[in-house]
Amino acid sequence: MRTPFEEALKNRIIPVVAIHAAENADPLADALIKGGLPCAEITFRTQAAEAVIRTLAKRGDILVGAGTVLTIDQAKTALDAGANFIVSPGFSEKVVEFCLDQAIPVTPGVCTPTDIQRALDLGLTLLKFFPAEATGGLKTLKAICAPYTMMNLIPTGGINANNLCDYLAHPQVPAIGGSWMVKSALIAERRFDDVTRLTREALALAATVSAA
Ligand code: 3PG
């Protein structure tokens, strides 16, 4: 049976959110759901992250993950708030081991073969490739995936409507992550119709690429 996180990956896009005002949590979730993407990675880059995760987790109609999880304390906070999955920008053995113990899906960030090797040692086969574009983009991703045919990578960092299809066409890329359809400014200015429109556009683009 698929976990809810695996189900969410079927949409092939994970919106990465830095949200500053907890009162924008519900309208953001409504906008994403209306756009067809009932999933959000709420990053611990703002004070509001915990409250937003809690609010979204209570709804039950959207899968909520915690992003930018740098420490075990943040992972505990995320879990307590009801997060369904944990994402880190880098590879922390401590955070990964904590999440494995708690049986919560964890996707740490990697950008070198050494990082991937360490993840493999802990039994992980789904990782975040971050920062994708700054690390060399698709060319680098292809090169570092090649020896690790058992690995799947979720590229994040610099992904948008212009390049998402190129990444999704790679057989080891089940999904991409990005903030372009949920930019902090869009949320702060309460431009939720734009969130819905950009989300729909992103999903329509992803649908043109056959599943990895
Ligand atoms: C992340 O934390 O995953 C990234 O900051 C998202 O990258 P982006 O803002 O370039 O999409």
Side-chain angles (χ1 to χ4, degrees), residues 6-64:
E6 284 164 341
E7 277 299 315
L9 290 181
K10 285 204 294 190
N11 286 319
R12 308 202 71 196
I13 297 175
I14 298 177
V16 179
V17 185
I19 175 171
H20 292 273
E23 66 264 27
N24 285 334
D26 275 316
L28 172 70
D30 292 339
L32 284 168
I33 291 167
K34 206 168 155 194
L37 199 47
C39 175
E41 175 188 325
I42 306 298
T43 58
F44 275 97
R45 295 186 189 188
T46 70
Q47 295 295 327
E50 180 184 353
V52 171
I53 292 170
R54 206 171 283 284
T55 299
L56 298 195
K58 273 196 196 126
R59 293 172 58 112
D61 59 356
I62 184 165
L63 194 85
V64 57

Side-chain angles (χ1 to χ4, degrees), residues 16 41 43 45 68 128 130 156-159 177-180 183:
V16 179
E41 175 188 325
T43 58
R45 295 186 189 188
T68 318
K128 163 171 165 152
F130 179 80
T156 312
I159 314 293
S179 65
W180 81 98
K183 282 263 174 251

Side-chain angles (χ1 to χ4, degrees), residues 27-123:
L28 172 70
D30 292 339
L32 284 168
I33 291 167
K34 206 168 155 194
L37 199 47
C39 175
E41 175 188 325
I42 306 298
T43 58
F44 275 97
R45 295 186 189 188
T46 70
Q47 295 295 327
E50 180 184 353
V52 171
I53 292 170
R54 206 171 283 284
T55 299
L56 298 195
K58 273 196 196 126
R59 293 172 58 112
D61 59 356
I62 184 165
L63 194 85
V64 57
T68 318
V69 174
L70 309 180
T71 63
I72 292 180
D73 278 347
Q74 282 176 329
K76 280 183 186 157
T77 302
L79 204 58
D80 180 64
N84 301 112
F85 62 94
I86 302 283
V87 181
S88 302
F91 188 86
S92 158
E93 211 163 286
K94 285 184 192 166
V95 171
V96 169
E97 277 176 344
F98 170 80
C99 293
L100 293 177
D101 279 352
Q102 301 295 319
I104 182 166
V106 58
T107 311
V110 298
C111 70
T112 67
T114 306
D115 297 338
I116 296 179
Q117 200 69 56
R118 292 173 64 208
L120 196 57
D121 286 347
L122 293 184

Side-chain angles (χ1 to χ4, degrees), residues 115-157:
D115 297 338
I116 296 179
Q117 200 69 56
R118 292 173 64 208
L120 196 57
D121 286 347
L122 293 184
L124 298 183
T125 52
L126 179 66
L127 306 170
K128 163 171 165 152
F129 174 51
F130 179 80
E133 282 289 292
T135 304
L138 191 56
K139 191 177 170 198
T140 303
L141 178 135
K142 281 181 182 166
I144 68 168
C145 272
Y148 301 102
T149 51
M150 74 302 284
M151 275 297 172
N152 287 313
L153 299 187
I154 300 177
T156 312

